[in-house]
Amino acid sequence: MVRHPYLKIFGLFILLGLSLTGCESEDPSADFILQKSLEAHGGRERWKKIKCIRYRKTTTFYDPTGVIEKKNVQQITHQWRPKKTEMIWENEGKPYRALKDPTGISLYKEGILQKDSLLLAQANTNLKAALYVYWQPFNLLENKAQRNYLGIQKILDSISVHAVQIRYSEEKNADVWTYFFDTQNYRLCAAQVLHYKRISLIVNEAVESETGLFLNHKRKSYFLDTLGKIKYLRAAYSYEIDSFTTD
């Protein structure tokens, strides 16, 4: 039986086509999306050069009718080499200062060191949260996190995004975070958190242009209903950089 050479060539084209189809349909990994986002936010080397950054965070809370409940202003410092986070604010006219460094947690009220374990635990949570929120997407690549790529989705019914889910615990009531990255430039544009059966969507409306890292500048947080639609604006955040230093 004679086998024609063109049959072999035709067969190779079929195999190549199947191979290419398989490659095209393969989803990127969560780490791939995060690495691309890190590059879009200045690159790893630029992030590592930051020694210290100080900024003022203003948070405005709203009730379901849109009326302002309260406004908080915090002066926050993140420092590396050595690592330190400091937060200064006022509550009911009294000054507070919280500090987290390699030696532990310190909390001062009107200049007096506080020793209440519950207050110290809350201060620790607030200081960790401040760094976590501000230092994105760099800190989303932590090894302890479980990351899953959820595919391309739409937020606010119009914005096409890559969705990456991040879990830090397998406990039943642990928070579940989903981060959304622009499909065109991979910039971080929003985050969603499931917290005790309540879902919040935090949208990045503007970024700063001073550091080259495109850090948060203006954000808004919305409570969502069971269908994923906006119920109401819960909070607005403003971040104003006072100073930063680099290596």
Side-chain angles (χ1 to χ4, degrees), residues 8 73 95 112 130 179 181 215:
K8 293 183 178 179
V73 179
I112 300 173
Y179 289 90
F181 304 87
L215 298 167

Side-chain angles (χ1 to χ4, degrees), residues 132-133 136 140 155 161-162 164 166 176-181 188-194 199-204 216 219-222 224:
Y132 178 80
V133 168
Q136 293 174 358
L140 300 181
I155 58 173
V161 293
H162 291 289
V164 175
I166 298 184
V176 179
W177 289 87
T178 304
Y179 289 90
F180 303 109
F181 304 87
L188 177 61
C189 55
Q192 183 173 292
V193 58
L194 173 61
I199 302 175
S200 296
L201 176 68
I202 306 99
V203 179
N204 299 349
N216 294 325
R219 307 172 84 212
K220 286 185 177 177
S221 178
Y222 302 89
L224 304 184

Side-chain angles (χ1 to χ4, degrees), residues 16-98:
L16 181 59
L18 290 173
S19 175
L20 290 174
T21 301
C23 291
E24 291 173 355
S25 63
E26 185 177 347
D27 286 336
S29 68
D31 282 4
F32 173 83
I33 298 297
L34 294 178
Q35 290 289 355
K36 292 289 287 184
S37 183
L38 186 58
E39 293 170 11
H41 283 267
R44 184 179 294 272
E45 290 307 311
R46 187 186 291 269
W47 283 81
K48 288 184 175 180
K49 287 182 178 180
I50 298 290
K51 292 175 61 178
C52 180
I53 187 165
R54 294 183 176 88
Y55 60 95
R56 183 174 66 260
K57 178 183 178 181
T58 302
T59 305
T60 306
F61 293 97
Y62 299 87
D63 71 10
T65 68
V67 175
I68 293 177
E69 285 185 346
K70 61 179 178 179
K71 181 178 288 188
N72 295 334
V73 179
Q74 300 165 319
Q75 198 73 32
I76 301 173
T77 301
H78 302 304
Q79 177 183 294
W80 293 264
R81 302 178 299 278
K83 194 171 184 179
K84 179 184 77 172
T85 292
E86 180 186 58
M87 183 183 294
I88 299 171
W89 73 101
E90 284 191 2
N91 184 26
E92 297 180 347
K94 298 177 181 179
Y96 287 79
R97 175 175 174 261

Side-chain angles (χ1 to χ4, degrees), residues 56-230:
R56 183 174 66 260
K57 178 183 178 181
T58 302
T59 305
T60 306
F61 293 97
Y62 299 87
D63 71 10
T65 68
V67 175
I68 293 177
E69 285 185 346
K70 61 179 178 179
K71 181 178 288 188
N72 295 334
V73 179
Q74 300 165 319
Q75 198 73 32
I76 301 173
T77 301
H78 302 304
Q79 177 183 294
W80 293 264
R81 302 178 299 278
K83 194 171 184 179
K84 179 184 77 172
T85 292
E86 180 186 58
M87 183 183 294
I88 299 171
W89 73 101
E90 284 191 2
N91 184 26
E92 297 180 347
K94 298 177 181 179
Y96 287 79
R97 175 175 174 261
L99 176 67
K100 180 181 176 67
D101 62 21
T103 65
I105 307 294
S106 301
L107 175 64
Y108 298 87
K109 177 182 177 181
E110 297 183 288
I112 300 173
L113 183 65
Q114 304 296 296
K115 298 183 179 181
D116 186 295
S117 60
L118 293 178
L119 292 178
L120 290 172
Q122 185 60 57
N124 184 41
T125 298
N126 292 342
L127 291 167
K128 289 170 64 177
L131 179 59
Y132 178 80
V133 168
Y134 197 64
W135 214 235
Q136 293 174 358
F138 187 81
N139 57 11
L140 300 181
L141 286 161
E142 292 180 1
N143 291 329
K144 65 180 181 180
Q146 177 186 333
R147 300 179 286 271
N148 294 296
Y149 179 65
L150 303 181
I152 294 178
Q153 300 180 3
K154 284 192 175 181
I155 58 173
L156 303 178
D157 295 325
S158 60
I159 305 172
S160 181
V161 293
H162 291 289
V164 175
Q165 185 183 85
I166 298 184
R167 293 173 177 264
Y168 295 93
S169 172
E170 293 297 328
E171 293 183 9
K172 184 178 179 180
N173 293 322
D175 292 349
V176 179
W177 289 87
T178 304
Y179 289 90
F180 303 109
F181 304 87
D182 190 290
T183 54
Q184 299 301 313
N185 59 26
Y186 291 95
R187 293 266 184 89
L188 177 61
C189 55
Q192 183 173 292
V193 58
L194 173 61
H195 178 71
Y196 288 107
K197 299 183 180 180
R198 171 172 275 175
I199 302 175
S200 296
L201 176 68
I202 306 99
V203 179
N204 299 349
E205 295 193 331
V207 295
E208 55 80 30
S209 58
E210 300 172 55
T211 65
L213 303 178
F214 309 103
L215 298 167
N216 294 325
H217 178 51
K218 301 286 185 181
R219 307 172 84 212
K220 286 185 177 177
S221 178
Y222 302 89
F223 281 154
L224 304 184
D225 61 21
T226 55
L227 298 178
K229 305 296 183 180
I230 290 176

